[in-house]
Amino acid sequence: MNNTFSHNPPRGMRDFYPEDMRLRDRIFSAWRQASEISGFEAYDSCVVESLDTLKRKSGEEITEQIYTFIDKSGRELALRPEMTPTLARMIAAKQNSLSLPLKWYTIAQCFRYERMTKGRKREHYQWNLDIIGEESTLAEAEIISTAIYALQQLGFTHETVRVHYNSRMLLSDLLIKTGIPPEYHRMTFLALDKLGKMEISEIKKMLCEGGLSENLSSKVLQLMEIKSLEDAANIAGNDAASIQILNEFQNYLSIYGISPFLKFDISVIRGLSYYTGIVFECFDIKREFRAIFGGGRYDNLLAEMGGKKAGGVGMGFGDVVISEIISALHANDQKTPPQKCAIAISYMSEEQKPVAIKIALHYRKEKIITDLALHCEKARNFFSRAGTKQFTHAIYIGPDDVQKGTIRIKNLLNRTEIESPINNPVSVKL
Amino acid sequence: MNNTFSHNPPRGMRDFYPEDMRLRDRIFSAWRQASEISGFEAYDSCVVESLDTLKRKSGEEITEQIYTFIDKSGRELALRPEMTPTLARMIAAKQNSLSLPLKWYTIAQCFRYERMTKGRKREHYQWNLDIIGEESTLAEAEIISTAIYALQQLGFTHETVRVHYNSRMLLSDLLIKTGIPPEYHRMTFLALDKLGKMEISEIKKMLCEGGLSENLSSKVLQLMEIKSLEDAANIAGNDAASIQILNEFQNYLSIYGISPFLKFDISVIRGLSYYTGIVFECFDIKREFRAIFGGGRYDNLLAEMGGKKAGGVGMGFGDVVISEIISALHANDQKTPPQKCAIAISYMSEEQKPVAIKIALHYRKEKIITDLALHCEKARNFFSRAGTKQFTHAIYIGPDDVQKGTIRIKNLLNRTEIESPINNPVSVKL
């Protein structure tokens, strides 16, 4: 026995005790239900990916942060930092048998070796929605409405969260009107993505070092002062394809009834270089936390992985930020009321054990959560123990109960009690 | 674009396409439901564990097979090969606030670097049930009955699977009666665990090399010919503690009504050295596959991790063997009938798109799985596409439908069709 032995998980990684799992399950259930109701199909792959696949397509920042290792046969492997390269690999592998468009979802653990700050760990779970092989902006609307559905399941409304959207195609049109040729756009996007994270002077420096003149760099930064889609349309021109696509997108949002959740925001760029069209990020309305989810349209992803050219829209929604927001919101709440019945059963002495087992089996057959004490205990200990867990009902069996042939079922929520025959226990309800 | 680029996952690791996820979800759901109904609480931790934790407690074979790596700060990390060391670490970390007994479950991905054979990959998901801090063999009965409940959910009966059980305590009693002192028991268990995997002569060699005489080695192997608990009791003595515990265990199995699933089997030993009491392994009745699940009682696990001494019972149930058995059983089956409604919606031209969106939103609000076509398509293409997926109903909207204000809802299972007002679509049922 060594008392200096650490009982902590590795740095930046999380243990989930039962009380932590309750929130995680609530989030995962909302994600899963939203995906399934909207007709997304589940896929998954191993958290270990070949480094080659990850290097082939990854955001610029990510590659340095990958956890890599070499297996016993000398293979270069890695813990995936995101799911998109794997998704592209899986689709490319079956591109001749899969019929597009695909609507796929996954909940995947992803790893990044980075400094830990609020809303960032070295691992997190990320819900991904992707629609591959669809040009219509209905794809963007489906993905955003599915993410909003999940947030609604978790109790959020348009008064507590907001999806900010923009378009890289629009930004390109605006940059061209400003006199910046296409070959500078990718660099410009990556610099502009630092808005709010770096000083304006530093961003300007990045633009200049990227090849723009002092004057053009200033003009680029002026574009960031555009406040509305109308203002943007006045510069880009109402006949610009980017504006027409955004108008169509807004029309879909209105049919979906989710316009109040959305807001045009010229400063939304996204860090990854593979986005080519509409991009979006969801925040808590007070902007106290990092982005809740984000994504956008990519048109060349599959081709870069050696697949056919097929456009798509993707979204990533991590579990860390949303957990922090929910915990902060509910910090002062009462214990959340139980969603389903859960019965605790115990007994005074070993003689009542067989009866207790039979009652437990009866309720389990009815698919009711039933915890059975594994050894006899005092009534006081049992009720105090049952009170600290998520039980709705408690049954304590003593020798008198067995003799009388009845049991008393305590409802722990409303403090009532009913009597029931021991051989055919009555059903319980919330 | 590079056509030589590999689209395979790393060797020994699995991709799950939507058709693979359906089976996996069925298995995971059975595991989760069985755990929850029986009152086990979910826990989880990160797939990356510190090597120190894993080395501290691991089966003898496992340590060589661990995937290890060093992070950028020089920490020795590993992909966990099993969940038990992590469980012991988590409990030790909170031993002063957790009240025993605990009933915990998890579904955890685990990694082993090994040669791949039938039923073995380099990663698998393992359902773990553990009861910590309970002496009563009711703990063994609860765990085995919960695992059987999951198998029943998956369609298995006592005619297709069998749980073989034995007791290391009984084996120890038998070894002592044979004249083998306790210090040789652990070595003897590990040698006997190779029965059926290695030649008898090799096992005998292991026993001799472990310090037993030729004569004692032969006697040990003769013990393996014991056919029933009664025979064992005749040698060990009916008053032996191990026999009394096994009788109590059998009594619980009978109250649970699961005796037909169980069979005493002197050859069940289990490879891990930490088991101290009843051990069990579940097989398909024809013994065509590897063990479906296995486990047993350990009494010193927590203490070895620097925690208090607290006994427990644990079980591990992997996804690979059970998937192979289910796939083999159902290889000739028809497509399994859908469990819930799923509607596909499409339309002839872009003009019907807004109507189609509204109908999709209507059904999604009713929590029915609803897939919406993202662009217009020909009726023939739509119905052929809908037929290949898991849809139960299909709605195709043309200009005439919009004009008439009605839609036709096709039931794809019984080939009937009903008409419904377009503004208030009727509910659908299986």
Side-chain angles (χ1 to χ4, degrees):
Chain A
M1 188 157 155
N2 174 356
N3 288 316
T4 63
F5 179 61
S6 165
H7 293 136
N8 295 325
R11 191 168 158 75
M13 300 174 188
R14 294 170 295 170
D15 284 338
F16 291 88
Y17 285 87
E19 61 270 27
D20 309 315
M21 283 301 277
R22 283 193 272 277
L23 175 57
R24 190 179 111 176
D25 278 345
R26 233 183 103 204
I27 293 168
F28 283 22
S29 295
W31 287 350
R32 224 175 269 130
Q33 198 190 3
S35 306
E36 284 173 7
I37 293 290
S38 296
F40 287 83
E41 294 183 290
Y43 76 99
D44 197 6
S45 103
C46 187
V47 66
V48 173
E49 188 52 271
S50 67
L51 189 58
D52 192 30
T53 298
L54 298 176
K55 274 185 174 164
R56 209 148 229 273
K57 190 236 63 66
S58 260
E60 284 62 19
E61 286 191 4
I62 288 175
T63 30
E64 301 154 29
Q65 300 171 341
I66 294 181
Y67 276 90
T68 58
F69 58 101
I70 292 171
D71 81 3
K72 286 163 197 180
S73 307
R75 287 184 193 86
E76 283 190 300
L77 300 175
L79 300 178
R80 65 181 169 221
E82 54 157 338
M83 200 61 179
T84 313
T86 300
L87 173 69
R89 173 179 66 65
M90 285 176 67
I91 294 174
K94 294 214 179 183
Q95 56 190 319
N96 296 322
S97 60
L98 291 171
S99 64
L100 303 182
L102 290 176
K103 286 168 67 179
W104 282 10
Y105 85 94
T106 193
I107 298 174
Q109 195 178 18
C110 298
F111 288 82
R112 293 189 189 191
Y113 191 84
E114 63 182 345
R115 225 175 249 277
M116 281 170 297
T117 56
K118 191 169 130 181
R120 292 238 169 169
K121 310 263 177 214
R122 288 186 177 163
E123 53 77 24
H124 71 150
Y125 286 89
Q126 196 180 70
W127 175 34
N128 279 217
L129 292 176
D130 283 274
I131 297 181
I132 310 279
E134 180 57 56
E135 309 267 299
S136 168
T137 55
L138 187 52
E140 280 90 333
E142 278 274 280
I143 282 185
I144 292 171
S145 79
T146 303
I148 288 175
Y149 184 101
L151 283 172
Q152 287 173 317
Q153 294 295 106
L154 293 169
F156 292 89
T157 67
H158 67 271
E159 287 172 348
T160 49
V161 291
R162 190 66 41 94
V163 183
H164 297 244
Y165 68 92
N166 191 12
S167 156
R168 284 211 175 173
M169 202 175 161
L170 169 66
L171 283 170
S172 277
D173 283 348
L174 293 171
L175 291 176
I176 288 189
K177 291 278 179 185
T178 311
I180 297 167
E183 58 268 34
Y184 294 97
H185 292 188
R186 191 180 259 225
M187 172 283 292
T188 305
F189 294 155
L190 294 178
L192 291 178
D193 182 55
K194 302 294 176 199
L195 275 167
K197 299 166 204 160
M198 283 164 67
E199 295 292 322
I200 293 285
S201 58
E202 284 184 80
I203 293 166
K204 199 163 174 184
K205 204 173 141 209
M206 279 176 79
L207 291 169
C208 292
E209 283 172 5
L212 298 191
S213 69
E214 175 77 22
N215 179 34
L216 281 180
S217 298
S218 298
K219 282 188 176 169
V220 164
L221 289 168
Q222 271 167 35
L223 288 176
M224 292 298 106
E225 283 157 29
I226 289 173
K227 292 284 172 250
S228 68
L229 187 50
E230 293 67 36
D231 290 353
N234 286 340
I235 300 172
N238 266 311
D239 54 350
S242 60
I243 293 295
Q244 292 184 1
I245 287 172
L246 281 165
N247 286 337
E248 185 189 61
F249 172 66
Q250 286 193 322
N251 182 38
Y252 287 134
L253 298 179
S254 146
I255 301 174
Y256 274 87
I258 54 172
S259 303
F261 279 94
L262 280 105
K263 178 185 159 72
F264 175 78
D265 180 348
I266 195 78
S267 75
V268 171
I269 318 274
R270 306 286 295 152
L272 299 170
S273 62
Y274 52 75
Y275 292 115
T276 51
I278 289 173
V279 284
F280 51 86
E281 275 177 352
C282 176
F283 292 95
D284 63 295
I285 212 122
K286 293 186 190 154
R287 296 295 293 255
E288 291 173 3
F289 296 87
R290 297 177 77 112
I292 297 171
F293 67 78
R297 175 172 287 275
Y298 44 81
D299 278 336
N300 308 309
L301 190 63
L302 284 188
E304 281 174 19
M305 292 297 291
K308 283 188 262 195
K309 185 166 159 62
V313 184
M315 182 223 62
F317 186 144
D319 71 327
V320 176
V321 172
I322 193 71
S323 297
E324 288 179 347
I325 295 176
I326 292 174
S327 302
L329 284 175
H330 298 292
N332 303 318
D333 279 16
Q334 296 299 310
K335 202 168 135 185
T336 44
Q339 303 299 303
K340 41 189 169 183
C341 282
I343 307 178
I345 299 176
S346 191
Y347 39 92
M348 197 179 291
S349 67
E350 291 297 307
E351 283 74 50
Q352 294 94 48
K353 208 170 193 172
V355 171
I357 295 174
K358 282 180 190 155
I359 295 168
L361 294 176
H362 172 89
Y363 285 115
R364 286 176 185 171
K365 218 166 254 167
E366 290 188 1
K367 305 216 185 278
I368 292 171
I369 297 169
T370 309
D371 184 59
L372 171 67
L374 299 168
H375 54 247
C376 61
E377 64 191 319
K378 288 188 180 148
R380 198 172 50 183
N381 293 348
F382 168 62
F383 286 108
S384 115
R385 177 170 74 78
T388 62
K389 300 256 179 163
Q390 307 276 301
F391 296 111
T392 59
H393 295 79
I395 300 171
Y396 185 77
I397 306 162
D400 297 352
D401 298 305
V402 177
Q403 213 184 345
K404 277 174 62 189
T406 56
I407 47 169
R408 288 153 299 146
I409 306 169
K410 276 212 165 72
N411 182 319
L412 300 175
L413 304 179
N414 63 17
R415 307 261 150 211
T416 58
E417 184 177 293
I418 51 168
E419 222 176 64
S420 160
I422 212 163
N423 291 322
N424 188 20
V426 298
S427 287
V428 294
K429 271 182 283 199
L430 272 190
Chain B
M1 188 157 155
N2 174 358
N3 288 318
T4 64
F5 178 62
S6 165
H7 293 136
N8 296 325
R11 191 168 158 74
M13 299 175 190
R14 294 171 294 171
D15 284 339
F16 291 88
Y17 285 86
E19 62 270 27
D20 309 315
M21 283 301 277
R22 282 193 274 276
L23 175 56
R24 189 178 113 175
D25 278 346
R26 234 183 102 204
I27 294 168
F28 283 22
S29 295
W31 288 350
R32 223 176 269 129
Q33 200 191 1
S35 308
E36 284 173 7
I37 293 291
S38 296
F40 287 83
E41 294 183 289
Y43 76 99
D44 197 7
S45 101
C46 187
V47 67
V48 174
E49 187 53 89
S50 66
L51 189 58
D52 192 30
T53 298
L54 298 176
K55 275 186 175 163
R56 208 147 228 275
K57 190 235 67 65
S58 259
E60 285 60 20
E61 287 192 2
I62 289 175
T63 29
E64 301 152 29
Q65 301 170 341
I66 294 180
Y67 276 90
T68 57
F69 58 100
I70 292 171
D71 82 1
K72 287 166 195 177
S73 307
R75 287 183 193 88
E76 282 189 301
L77 300 176
L79 301 178
R80 64 180 169 222
E82 53 157 340
M83 200 60 178
T84 312
T86 300
L87 172 69
R89 172 179 68 65
M90 285 175 67
I91 293 174
K94 293 213 179 181
Q95 56 187 321
N96 295 321
S97 59
L98 291 171
S99 63
L100 303 182
L102 290 175
K103 287 169 66 180
W104 281 10
Y105 85 93
T106 193
I107 298 173
Q109 197 179 17
C110 298
F111 289 82
R112 292 188 189 192
Y113 190 83
E114 63 183 343
R115 225 176 249 280
M116 281 171 297
T117 56
K118 191 169 132 184
R120 292 236 169 170
K121 310 262 177 214
R122 289 188 176 160
E123 52 78 22
H124 72 152
Y125 285 89
Q126 196 180 71
W127 176 34
N128 279 218
L129 292 176
D130 283 275
I131 297 182
I132 311 278
E134 180 57 54
E135 308 266 300
S136 169
T137 54
L138 189 53
E140 281 89 334
E142 278 274 280
I143 281 185
I144 292 172
S145 78
T146 304
I148 288 175
Y149 184 101
L151 283 172
Q152 287 174 316
Q153 295 296 106
L154 293 168
F156 293 89
T157 68
H158 66 272
E159 288 171 348
T160 48
V161 291
R162 190 65 42 94
V163 183
H164 297 244
Y165 68 93
N166 190 11
S167 156
R168 286 210 174 175
M169 203 174 158
L170 169 65
L171 283 169
S172 276
D173 284 347
L174 293 171
L175 291 176
I176 286 184
K177 292 276 179 187
T178 311
I180 297 168
E183 56 268 33
Y184 294 97
H185 292 188
R186 191 181 262 224
M187 172 283 291
T188 305
F189 295 156
L190 294 178
L192 291 178
D193 183 54
K194 301 294 176 199
L195 276 167
K197 298 167 204 158
M198 282 164 66
E199 295 292 325
I200 293 285
S201 59
E202 284 184 79
I203 293 167
K204 200 164 172 184
K205 205 175 139 207
M206 280 176 80
L207 291 169
C208 292
E209 284 172 5
L212 298 192
S213 69
E214 174 78 22
N215 178 33
L216 281 180
S217 298
S218 298
K219 282 188 176 169
V220 164
L221 289 168
Q222 273 167 32
L223 288 176
M224 292 298 106
E225 284 158 28
I226 288 173
K227 292 284 172 250
S228 67
L229 188 50
E230 292 67 36
D231 290 353
N234 287 339
I235 301 174
N238 266 310
D239 53 350
S242 61
I243 293 295
Q244 292 184 1
I245 287 172
L246 281 165
N247 286 337
E248 186 189 61
F249 172 65
Q250 285 193 322
N251 181 39
Y252 288 133
L253 298 179
S254 147
I255 300 174
Y256 274 86
I258 55 173
S259 303
F261 278 96
L262 280 104
K263 179 185 159 70
F264 175 77
D265 181 347
I266 195 77
S267 74
V268 172
I269 318 273
R270 306 286 296 153
L272 299 170
S273 62
Y274 53 76
Y275 292 116
T276 52
I278 289 173
V279 284
F280 52 85
E281 275 177 352
C282 177
F283 292 95
D284 63 296
I285 211 122
K286 294 187 192 153
R287 297 294 294 254
E288 290 173 5
F289 297 87
R290 297 177 76 114
I292 297 171
F293 67 77
R297 174 171 288 274
Y298 44 80
D299 278 337
N300 308 309
L301 190 64
L302 284 188
E304 281 174 19
M305 292 298 289
K308 282 188 263 195
K309 184 168 161 60
V313 183
M315 184 225 58
F317 187 145
D319 70 329
V320 176
V321 173
I322 193 70
S323 298
E324 288 179 348
I325 295 176
I326 293 174
S327 301
L329 283 175
H330 299 292
N332 303 317
D333 280 16
Q334 296 298 311
K335 203 169 137 186
T336 46
Q339 302 298 305
K340 40 190 171 181
C341 282
I343 308 177
I345 299 175
S346 190
Y347 39 92
M348 195 179 292
S349 67
E350 293 295 310
E351 283 73 50
Q352 293 95 46
K353 207 172 195 170
V355 171
I357 296 174
K358 282 180 189 157
I359 294 169
L361 295 176
H362 173 88
Y363 285 115
R364 288 176 184 172
K365 218 167 253 167
E366 292 188 359
K367 306 216 184 279
I368 292 172
I369 296 169
T370 309
D371 183 59
L372 171 67
L374 299 168
H375 55 248
C376 60
E377 64 193 319
K378 288 187 180 151
R380 200 171 48 182
N381 293 348
F382 167 62
F383 285 107
S384 115
R385 176 170 75 78
T388 62
K389 300 255 181 165
Q390 307 276 304
F391 295 112
T392 58
H393 295 79
I395 300 170
Y396 185 78
I397 306 160
D400 296 351
D401 299 305
V402 176
Q403 213 183 344
K404 277 174 62 190
T406 56
I407 48 169
R408 286 154 299 143
I409 306 169
K410 275 210 165 70
N411 183 319
L412 299 176
L413 304 180
N414 63 16
R415 307 259 150 216
T416 58
E417 184 176 293
I418 52 169
E419 221 177 64
S420 160
I422 212 161
N423 290 324
N424 188 20
V426 297
S427 286
V428 293
K429 270 182 284 200
L430 273 190

